Amino acid sequence: MKKISVFTITLILNLGLQAHCFDLSQNIFNSPKREIIKTIRLYDKAMNSHDSKKVRAFYDENYKSSDGFDFDELSQMFDKAQSTYKNLKYKTKVTNVTIYDDWALAELADVTKAEVYPGNNKEAKNEKMGELEGKSVYVAYMKKSNEGWKIYADDIIMEETSLKFGMAKRIDMSLAAPIYVNPNQEYDISLKIKKPNDIIALASISNDEITYPAKDYQEKFRKIPEEGGLERIVKANGSNKDEYAIASLGLTKISVNKEMSKARIELLGMAYLMRRVNLNSAVQEKQGK
């Protein structure tokens, strides 16, 4: 349960505009809006076919993500995400599109899902298959060029992701953290879980800056009390970087033979939970770019 496991999940949701289906409440008979919707649909086809060359063509060469990643770093993250999760599926609700001359703001809410097989072995038993689920709310900034509308930047408001294996897929659990905090501010991260009484849950809670490549860190696991909750007070970074609240969880069961001479520890499930925490100073800095 290393940091790279959690960060790889977040890469999927940092790829920018991901569209699968559309739910538009506003009038789209305006020509520029039709062009944007068409662009999103074409982008959707490229994303769901995992065609990295076509996907890159939808981005402006001066693209900058909400976390400061440039076009080249985006390409690296896209390739890594697609090679790791080969059956990603996207479902996006477009809540609004606003046009400002040659600029557009597309307000989006999306859901991401994938099945994860150990060693990419799809023949593995269903209980060994992992389930990836993510959702986010964000704004995609688009710029019109001679080649059409291009994704120029994004601003992620809310983002959360989970990856669950084994018993963890059948147990209710949630990770809570604030959406916005100030630099160097202390805040609470809490993990809640409803588990059977005979199951032992060990968990690690931490926060980390959003950087690429990801940094390794040492996880410190603690037993979750029987009432099913674990909390930790952490301190936000002072580097004006948005960060993630992260929880790693292991579910185990201890059994003893009839002679009471041997004990067996069985790993029944694992889970990784992540929630985005935005820094107010980082928001101001991005707005000033």
Side-chain angles (χ1 to χ4, degrees):
M1 290 182 281
K2 297 182 178 179
K3 172 66 170 67
I4 188 64
S5 300
V6 179
F7 188 71
T8 301
I9 301 171
T10 68
L11 299 183
I12 302 167
L13 303 178
N14 288 337
L15 296 177
L17 188 59
Q18 302 169 334
H20 181 66
C21 67
F22 302 88
D23 180 11
L24 298 176
S25 57
Q26 72 273 12
N27 186 350
I28 64 171
F29 293 102
N30 175 287
S31 180
K33 288 185 179 180
R34 288 204 306 268
E35 292 176 0
I36 291 172
I37 297 303
K38 181 179 179 180
T39 299
I40 292 174
R41 287 174 175 164
L42 292 173
Y43 178 88
D44 175 48
K45 291 182 179 179
M47 282 292 295
N48 284 288
S49 66
H50 296 187
D51 191 326
S52 60
K53 184 176 181 180
K54 288 184 178 180
V55 169
R56 292 187 184 104
F58 287 86
Y59 286 86
D60 187 278
E61 62 180 6
N62 295 314
Y63 166 83
K64 206 78 169 179
S65 78
S66 58
D67 298 310
F69 301 137
D70 60 24
F71 183 76
D72 291 337
E73 291 169 322
L74 173 76
S75 297
Q76 294 174 30
M77 288 188 285
F78 176 83
D79 290 338
K80 187 170 185 178
Q82 299 301 331
S83 64
T84 303
Y85 304 102
K86 300 183 183 298
N87 58 3
L88 278 171
K89 297 185 183 301
Y90 312 99
K91 183 177 180 180
T92 296
K93 180 179 180 181
V94 182
T95 58
N96 192 37
V97 175
T98 305
I99 307 294
Y100 294 97
D101 298 324
D102 291 336
W103 291 86
L105 279 69
E107 300 173 25
L108 309 169
D110 68 20
V111 175
T112 307
K113 293 186 177 182
E115 296 175 349
V116 183
Y117 295 89
N120 290 324
N121 178 17
K122 291 188 177 181
E123 301 301 322
K125 293 182 179 180
N126 185 59
E127 61 266 22
K128 292 185 178 180
M129 180 193 74
E131 294 180 352
L132 171 69
E133 294 186 358
K135 62 181 180 180
S136 64
V137 176
Y138 57 101
V139 176
Y141 299 90
M142 303 182 72
K143 181 180 179 181
K144 190 173 184 179
S145 67
N146 293 332
E147 299 176 352
W149 291 93
K150 301 280 187 177
I151 303 169
Y152 189 86
D154 57 45
D155 190 5
I156 303 175
I157 301 170
M158 184 281 294
E159 177 187 6
E160 63 180 15
T161 310
S162 67
L163 177 59
K164 300 177 181 179
F165 293 91
M167 177 180 283
K169 295 184 293 183
R170 305 188 299 273
I171 292 180
D172 291 335
M173 60 183 73
S174 63
L175 183 67
I179 295 178
Y180 287 97
V181 297
N182 294 319
N184 298 310
Q185 176 185 336
E186 291 188 342
Y187 65 92
D188 178 73
I189 303 175
S190 61
L191 173 65
K192 293 183 179 180
I193 177 173
K194 295 181 180 179
K195 64 177 184 62
N197 293 331
D198 60 339
I199 300 299
I200 298 174
L202 302 174
S204 170
I205 293 178
S206 62
N207 64 318
D208 203 7
E209 299 175 12
I210 300 177
T211 60
Y212 186 80
K215 299 177 182 178
D216 291 330
Y217 74 102
Q218 296 294 323
E219 295 178 309
K220 297 181 180 179
F221 286 86
R222 296 172 54 192
K223 181 180 178 181
I224 296 181
E226 290 303 318
E227 57 268 23
L230 188 65
E231 293 186 59
R232 182 182 174 189
I233 301 296
V234 299
K235 186 175 182 181
N237 72 82
S239 305
N240 289 344
K241 291 183 179 294
D242 295 326
E243 58 186 45
Y244 288 128
I246 305 166
S248 300
L249 174 72
L251 300 173
T252 65
K253 185 175 183 179
I254 300 177
S255 57
V256 181
N257 62 359
K258 294 181 179 180
E259 293 76 19
M260 301 295 290
S261 59
K262 292 183 180 180
R264 179 188 178 190
I265 301 177
E266 184 179 3
L267 180 62
L268 301 177
M270 296 185 299
Y272 306 92
L273 307 178
M274 178 277 296
R275 282 182 65 96
R276 183 184 185 89
V277 178
N278 296 303
L279 264 67
N280 284 328
S281 61
V283 173
Q284 295 170 2
E285 183 178 308
K286 286 181 285 190
Q287 291 174 342
K289 288 182 179 178

